[in-house]
Amino acid sequence: MSGALIDGKAAAAALRADVAEAALTLPRKPGLAVVLVGDDAASQVYVGSKEKAAGKANINGQVHRMPGSSTQAEVLAQVKALAEDDAVDGILVQLPLPGHLDADEVIATIPPEKDVDGLTEASAGALVLGREGLTPCTPQGSMRLIRQVMPDLSGKHAVVVGRSILVGKPLALMLLAANATVTMAHSRTKDLGAVCREADILCVAVGRPEMVTADMVKPGAIVIDVGINRVAEKKLVGDVAFEGAKEVAGHITPVPGGVGPMTIACLLANTVAASARRQGVPVPEKLR
């Protein structure tokens, strides 16, 4: 019997509607600034999607496009100018940056209260310490999808496959904060299949096409596939072998249409939350 699909598109649409409604309640319209350096084709598409989505969510979205030849000093100056702009509530530097630039130094220039991507050391530290702050969008989106199926995670065993600072580590911390028992697995984990089969909630973010197969999934588990990989004939697949896994899982995210749509929706939610805090009003409950 096939597992129920977790519809990320529908969940993202609902969150965007909540964001748009919340934005209208603030004294000032929220502002999101994206810094795009160079002409990477994928980045151009991503930024265009973010700009369009911001407008629909009653957010003032602006894109600062800089040539690929921009120096470190020029990029830092742009980010610092946005940091000092009171009309800007959220700053996002589109990654990857051209190879000659130091992305870590650029990200570190973003004030924590405007770090809507949740990538600064201060944001990571707040997450570790369990303090209020802006969390990375993809892990946040994954948590929203998990809670849609299972609101109370207390005592559940979650396995996170992948230990990146963008997804794996912050997602594990979020699951811990929700009182799940968390195991982190990775390329050096012995008998990965056995570890995955223990999971009530299995989250996979490794960037390897269909690495997790049906025999690695516990019957009835929630499976969150964060991966998106382009294979033969431009087909997109996740890190989980979907066709087999869906016959075992209780609930599973498809690729595409699962976690992906939630990333931009959570970026918008972070922007409105950041704007609310900066304007001294409570963050709307639906965006927490």
Side-chain angles (χ1 to χ4, degrees), residues 72 76 95 97 101-110 119-121 165:
Q72 185 78 5
L76 290 174
L95 301 176
L97 291 174
L101 298 176
D102 182 346
D104 290 340
E105 184 182 19
V106 173
I107 297 299
T109 308
I110 301 173
L119 296 182
T120 63
E121 290 183 5
I165 60 172

Side-chain angles (χ1 to χ4, degrees), residues 82-268:
L82 295 172
E84 295 169 0
D85 188 341
D86 282 340
V88 174
D89 299 296
I91 301 171
L92 183 149
V93 176
Q94 183 64 43
L95 301 176
L97 291 174
H100 68 283
L101 298 176
D102 182 346
D104 290 340
E105 184 182 19
V106 173
I107 297 299
T109 308
I110 301 173
E113 66 273 14
K114 295 189 178 186
D115 178 25
V116 288
D117 230 6
L119 296 182
T120 63
E121 290 183 5
S123 295
L127 183 57
V128 170
L129 296 173
R131 295 177 181 168
E132 184 179 82
L134 297 166
T135 56
C137 301
T138 299
Q140 182 189 143
S142 299
M143 286 297 295
R144 288 180 181 272
L145 293 180
I146 293 168
R147 288 187 180 278
Q148 182 175 289
V149 176
M150 186 180 290
D152 183 6
L153 307 187
S154 297
K156 298 299 181 181
H157 186 186
V159 173
V160 179
V161 185
R163 51 182 169 177
S164 74
I165 60 172
L166 297 178
V167 182
K169 288 180 180 177
L171 180 53
L173 290 168
M174 291 178 193
L175 287 161
L176 277 172
N179 298 317
T181 298
V182 181
T183 299
M184 289 203 71
H186 44 79
S187 60
R188 303 291 180 88
T189 299
K190 293 183 178 179
D191 200 350
L192 180 61
V195 173
C196 290
R197 280 190 294 274
E198 294 294 320
D200 301 308
I201 304 162
L202 178 60
C203 305
V204 189
V206 290
R208 291 179 57 186
E210 302 183 328
M211 185 193 79
V212 172
T213 52
D215 63 320
M216 299 167 69
V217 177
K218 178 181 180 179
I222 297 172
V223 178
I224 303 295
D225 188 352
V226 182
I228 182 162
N229 309 280
R230 193 174 298 279
V231 293
E233 299 178 359
K234 298 184 178 180
K235 179 182 178 182
L236 294 177
V237 301
D239 291 347
V240 177
F242 178 78
E243 292 302 325
K246 74 177 182 180
E247 301 300 323
V248 183
H251 294 80
I252 187 170
T253 57
V255 175
V259 176
M262 293 297 292
T263 299
I264 291 182
C266 289
L267 170 66
L268 302 177

